[in-house]
Amino acid sequence: MHEPAINPKWQWPLPVCRPRVASGAPPPSDVADRAAPRAPAGLGQGPPRGPRLPPATSAWLHPLLRRAGSLYKPIQPPVTNRLLTHTPQTKPSSQSNKPARNTHRPAQQQHSSGDSLPCSLALRAMAPATADAAGVGAGPAVGRVKTALGVAACERDAEKLELIEQLTKGFDDEQQRVLAAILARNNGAEYLRRHGMEGCTDRDAFKARVPVVTYEDLRPEIERIANGDRSNIISSHPISEFLTSSGTSAGERKLMPTIEDELDRRQMLYSLLMPVMNLFVPGLDKGKGLYFLFIKSETKTPGGLPARPVLTSYYKSDHFKYRPFDAYQVYTSPTPAILCTDSFQSMYSQMLCGLLVRTEVLRVGAVFASGLLRAIRFLQLHWKELARDIETGTLSAKVVEPSIRAAVAEVLEPNPDLAAFVAAECAKDNWEGIITRMWPNTKYLDVIVTGAMAQYIPTLKFYSGGLPMACTMYASSECYFGLNLRPMCDPSEVSYTIMPNMGYFELMPHDPEAPAVSMDDPPPRLVDLADAEVGKEYELVITTYAGLCRYRVGDILQVTGFHNAAPQFRFVRRKNVLLSIDSDKTDEAELQAAVERAARLLAPYGASIVEYTSEADATTIPGHYVVYWELMLKDCREGLWPEAAVFERCCLEMEEALNSVYRQGRNGDAIGPLEIRVVRGGTFEEVMDYAISRGASINQYKAPRCVSFGPIIELLNSRVLSKHFSPACPKYGPPKK
């Protein structure tokens, strides 16, 4: 395989980072040092305790959890697919202004976790959660226990695995209980009253009276909440914040309402991930996890509620910042680095800390596959400066955030031998296997590689030397859904088992070959998950504790089987999404509007676009959109062909027309400049001929607006006359408060 190409135009941004620690607040320090684990400062010798479980939580907890005692107590979630947990810290005491010291000192090598949002969010990493909030500091429990899922690493793991078995065996009963609990707790909500559900918890009545809705249907209610209406509009519990979805509506991120105790439900799911992973990969408590985690900008709605991505919400919460020690949740990245909005300072310090303990790293990950590839690209660009810091034991002056400098100072000391090694490896022309060369004890990569992220699998194999890629969890901003009971399987075989206690789920049958349904047609009948048919595709519809009722998530899933009575699904794709590089999602309508906008710049030259298609090019770092244009000139005289600068302006014009998630990614480091490739006349007729030769109907053929099939891409690239890149980043600014 060829090493991925790097466009020299793409430079890493170097904005100034504002301090994120309030004046007078003790800076969280969570870079691991090299000594043995010690108890968090201020907690004596006893095990650290997690936050108390909110009283409201008991309403939704399954009886199994209550019987399980400590099993039911809040777990400090590992970072799964995107929620990562690094080193535990103590919460600031009102009696002391002394900064809390880092409490994680792994003995040898430990593991980390990530959080799984693809899910639309698709948060996906592995969330190590073998330890409960109670008793975490005591270290890993001893003794292997046989369970239905396999031999558990310890009794605590066995309890969690048994919970999975019980929930999946009584799947439909649990779903009915969850729906009744949601309807009972939101009994006073205006939305349910409007649809005749006040005082009613019956499932049949719910299906008959409550409509299936999209985000646009709920926009009036969401806007009322965002503008400050605190009445019980969709939920009887106060909306605590909005989680911004990677999906967009009218070009802006969708706002997903959430409530305080939703985090406890998510943590309960996190607590199941590590017991499953321990069935397949032993010894993860003997090392660390190198995860590249970042927060994104947040705003406040006109009514004063925070609006931010789900992982930003988690990383900035006390659950993350003051998590108790757990041998399965020791990470190399300092919390201050994760909480810095400056991408350079955050990435630089996380990469440096990962290199300092290179032999202790047992797994490497990021939220999405694209994020891990950006980290590799960063190492390619900055290895000389990183090696210099390691050699001298001093942190680069480009890192100015005080809390990051303090955290890194705990572990950074002169190490000429390590610096020489890093320089020698990075100076080589061939970067194949660089992950295992830098971190030789890595057992697997923890990244989302399903859905749109599957395009990065070949590149990850190149850089990792073929390491396995673990997909552990399926979640989104709207709701967390389930976990992968075979996390070390091949990415093409990943199936997620839906956990029935996370929300109430229904399925809308989806036939990819069926004609589009008109607005006048009745909606298809929804199916309970227990009645799903293997091999069929469905769109997921959810009802949540936060008040979303029969909401269409937009994920297309295929049923692959059952675990006990719980259905298992393969994530197929996001509905209507054509292009995606990172968390961006561009549909056909957006792409069409962008092409039409750019085409206006060609009019003075008598040129028009005959046909076009696109692809998400993942062979470059970062990936970028490629749009193929076939042009027609009204006047074929020489000299009238548009100049290169015109096509570059067309690239930028298209980017300006795309949604805010795309534009934010371009202004950061997530997405590369859009590229237009002009192909010679007749190219799209050749594409049609090829499709017909493979069985397509000439009467029904339409040029695809996005291509991913190798031979078609090769055909298009062989007909390219010129290539043009966007010369600047499109305008982007966070929504005004």
Side-chain angles (χ1 to χ4, degrees):
M1 174 179 176
H2 297 295
E3 184 166 349
I6 304 297
N7 188 319
K9 292 185 179 181
W10 303 345
Q11 301 296 324
W12 202 271
L14 299 173
V16 176
C17 175
R18 295 187 297 274
R20 302 201 55 83
V21 179
S23 176
S29 164
D30 54 349
V31 181
D33 52 28
R34 300 172 181 79
R38 64 174 180 269
L43 293 182
Q45 300 303 315
R49 298 177 60 186
R52 293 179 180 272
L53 190 66
T57 308
S58 60
W60 59 266
L61 279 165
H62 190 278
L64 282 169
L65 292 175
R66 292 195 289 272
R67 290 200 299 270
S70 64
L71 174 68
Y72 152 63
K73 296 176 184 176
I75 300 296
Q76 297 308 327
V79 194
T80 136
N81 251 66
R82 289 354 49 93
L83 306 176
L84 175 77
T85 311
H86 170 101
T87 158
Q89 319 186 4
T90 54
K91 197 167 182 175
S93 168
S94 59
Q95 301 175 351
S96 173
N97 293 323
K98 195 173 183 179
R101 282 187 62 90
N102 177 6
T103 62
H104 86 258
R105 297 190 173 195
Q108 298 166 35
Q109 306 188 343
Q110 306 212 12
H111 101 284
S112 107
S113 84
D115 114 272
S116 113
L117 261 185
C119 350
S120 319
L121 220 171
L123 309 168
R124 192 226 70 61
M126 238 172 41
T130 45
D132 309 286
V136 216
V142 184
R144 298 178 67 79
V145 183
K146 187 175 182 181
T147 72
L149 286 168
V151 180
C154 59
E155 291 185 5
R156 287 199 302 263
D157 279 15
E159 288 180 338
K160 303 298 176 65
L161 297 175
E162 177 60 23
L163 177 62
I164 294 174
E165 285 298 290
Q166 294 297 325
L167 289 173
T168 55
K169 285 179 179 177
F171 187 91
D172 196 54
D173 289 342
E174 178 66 8
Q175 278 281 275
Q176 191 154 349
R177 185 197 68 78
V178 166
L179 178 60
I182 291 173
L183 296 176
R185 76 180 307 190
N186 292 326
N187 179 47
E190 173 189 319
Y191 187 83
L192 288 176
R193 288 201 310 271
R194 186 190 311 159
H195 295 291
M197 289 301 296
E198 185 173 14
C200 180
T201 61
D202 180 70
R203 177 154 68 173
D204 290 337
F206 174 76
K207 292 183 175 183
R209 300 173 188 174
V210 179
V212 177
V213 296
T214 64
Y215 185 83
E216 291 305 314
D217 298 321
L218 294 179
R219 181 186 286 277
E221 284 79 10
I222 290 174
E223 288 183 348
R224 284 173 57 194
I225 300 170
N227 289 330
D229 189 335
R230 294 296 181 263
S231 59
N232 296 337
I233 298 175
I234 63 173
S235 170
S236 295
H237 286 238
I239 300 299
S240 57
E241 64 180 322
F242 286 104
L243 302 178
T244 54
S245 169
S246 57
T248 58
S249 175
E252 299 298 328
R253 289 182 184 269
K254 296 177 182 177
L255 298 177
M256 293 293 128
T258 190
I259 54 180
E260 286 285 352
D261 67 6
E262 199 63 47
L263 183 56
D264 298 307
R265 264 180 289 280
R266 293 169 185 154
Q267 288 189 312
M268 191 286 301
L269 187 60
Y270 295 145
S271 73
L272 306 179
L273 301 182
M274 259 339 282
V276 173
M277 180 57 74
N278 289 339
L279 296 174
F280 299 88
V281 185
L284 292 176
D285 58 333
K286 302 296 189 288
K288 302 175 186 175
L290 169 56
Y291 282 81
F292 297 98
L293 305 175
F294 308 90
I295 65 170
K296 292 188 177 181
S297 59
E298 66 175 76
T299 61
K300 286 189 180 294
T301 66
L305 289 176
R308 53 196 179 185
V310 61
L311 293 178
T312 296
S313 173
Y314 172 69
Y315 295 147
K316 298 180 75 171
S317 72
D318 287 351
H319 291 77
F320 179 78
K321 292 189 291 186
Y322 306 112
R323 58 202 177 278
F325 175 80
D326 183 350
Y328 286 96
Q329 298 185 31
V330 179
Y331 306 98
T332 62
S333 294
T335 294
I338 295 171
L339 296 180
C340 180
T341 56
D342 180 281
S343 61
F344 176 86
Q345 294 186 68
S346 179
M347 179 71 85
Y348 190 93
S349 52
Q350 291 189 59
M351 181 65 75
L352 178 62
C353 290
L355 291 172
L356 292 175
V357 291
R358 57 179 293 270
T359 60
E360 300 176 45
V361 170
L362 294 188
R363 59 179 179 168
V364 176
V367 178
F368 294 111
S370 56
L372 183 53
L373 291 176
R374 290 199 305 275
I376 298 302
R377 173 56 177 157
F378 187 89
L379 182 60
Q380 287 179 316
L381 292 173
H382 300 285
W383 62 264
K384 292 181 180 179
E385 193 168 1
L386 289 162
R388 184 165 58 249
D389 287 3
I390 295 171
E391 181 179 22
T392 62
T394 57
L395 181 58
S396 170
K398 294 178 182 177
V399 179
V400 299
E401 166 60 36
S403 61
I404 296 180
R405 296 192 69 87
V408 174
E410 293 190 18
V411 295
L412 181 59
E413 56 187 35
N415 191 335
D417 291 340
L418 176 58
F421 171 82
V422 171
E425 288 296 321
C426 293
K428 295 178 180 178
D429 292 333
N430 184 6
W431 272 55
E432 184 173 4
I434 191 65
I435 292 176
T436 48
R437 283 152 53 187
M438 288 288 105
W439 299 281
N441 296 316
T442 305
K443 297 185 177 184
Y444 62 92
L445 304 180
D446 195 353
V447 288
I448 295 176
V449 288
T450 54
M453 292 296 114
Q455 61 190 320
Y456 297 108
I457 291 175
T459 310
L460 285 175
K461 287 183 177 179
F462 174 85
Y463 282 127
S464 71
L467 283 175
M469 302 170 202
C471 298
T472 61
M473 183 172 160
Y474 171 39
S476 73
S477 300
E478 296 90 339
C479 183
Y480 283 22
F481 307 117
L483 66 161
N484 182 3
L485 296 181
R486 297 191 306 120
M488 299 302 287
C489 68
D490 186 85
S492 63
E493 300 173 354
V494 170
S495 289
Y496 299 102
T497 302
I498 302 297
M499 299 306 293
N501 56 340
M502 300 306 296
Y504 180 67
F505 307 119
E506 298 173 271
L507 300 171
M508 178 180 289
H510 174 75
D511 183 356
E513 304 300 327
V517 179
S518 72
M519 296 295 292
D520 298 328
D521 292 333
R525 180 181 176 83
L526 268 58
V527 176
D528 289 323
L529 265 68
D531 299 323
E533 297 183 41
V534 174
K536 289 194 174 181
E537 291 186 3
Y538 300 90
E539 180 182 350
L540 187 60
V541 178
I542 64 172
T543 298
T544 70
Y545 287 92
L548 295 178
C549 289
R550 309 195 87 187
Y551 176 82
R552 296 174 64 173
V553 176
D555 288 357
I556 304 300
L557 310 175
Q558 183 184 52
V559 184
T560 58
F562 286 80
H563 178 75
N564 295 324
Q568 296 176 307
F569 295 94
R570 178 178 70 88
F571 180 86
V572 178
R573 59 182 172 84
R574 286 284 298 172
K575 190 174 183 179
N576 298 328
V577 171
L578 283 184
L579 296 170
S580 179
I581 292 295
D582 190 63
S583 59
D584 54 299
K585 295 177 176 66
T586 298
D587 61 27
E588 183 171 344
E590 282 183 297
L591 182 62
Q592 176 70 28
V595 169
E596 290 175 354
R597 178 167 160 176
R600 297 178 194 141
L601 299 178
L602 301 176
Y605 299 86
S608 60
I609 299 173
V610 175
E611 195 57 272
Y612 74 91
T613 189
S614 64
E615 69 157 321
D617 187 352
T619 63
T620 58
I621 303 176
H624 68 295
Y625 290 6
V626 176
V627 184
Y628 297 90
W629 281 3
E630 182 177 326
L631 301 182
M632 179 179 65
L633 292 179
K634 292 180 180 178
D635 191 334
C636 296
R637 288 177 300 172
E638 186 177 354
L640 288 184
W641 186 263
E643 299 174 350
V646 174
F647 288 113
E648 290 179 357
R649 290 201 301 275
C650 288
C651 292
L652 182 57
E653 194 72 11
M654 285 190 66
E655 293 193 304
E656 295 282 3
L658 295 176
N659 61 70
S660 65
V661 180
Y662 174 89
R663 287 182 280 114
Q664 182 182 22
R666 276 284 286 118
N667 279 267
D669 57 349
I671 305 172
L674 183 143
E675 177 186 2
I676 290 176
R677 296 180 185 174
V678 180
V679 298
R680 73 187 189 193
T683 296
F684 279 86
E685 288 187 16
E686 294 182 63
V687 171
M688 180 182 70
D689 291 341
Y690 181 82
I692 293 172
S693 72
R694 292 176 55 84
S697 168
I698 190 170
N699 293 319
Q700 296 179 319
Y701 176 82
K702 293 188 299 182
R705 289 302 175 231
C706 181
V707 293
S708 58
F709 187 50
I712 297 250
I713 293 175
E714 289 179 12
L715 172 60
L716 289 167
N717 286 333
S718 69
R719 305 298 190 266
V720 170
L721 298 175
S722 60
K723 300 179 180 181
H724 312 275
F725 289 90
S726 180
C729 290
K731 296 183 180 67
Y732 169 77
K736 295 181 179 180
K737 296 183 180 181

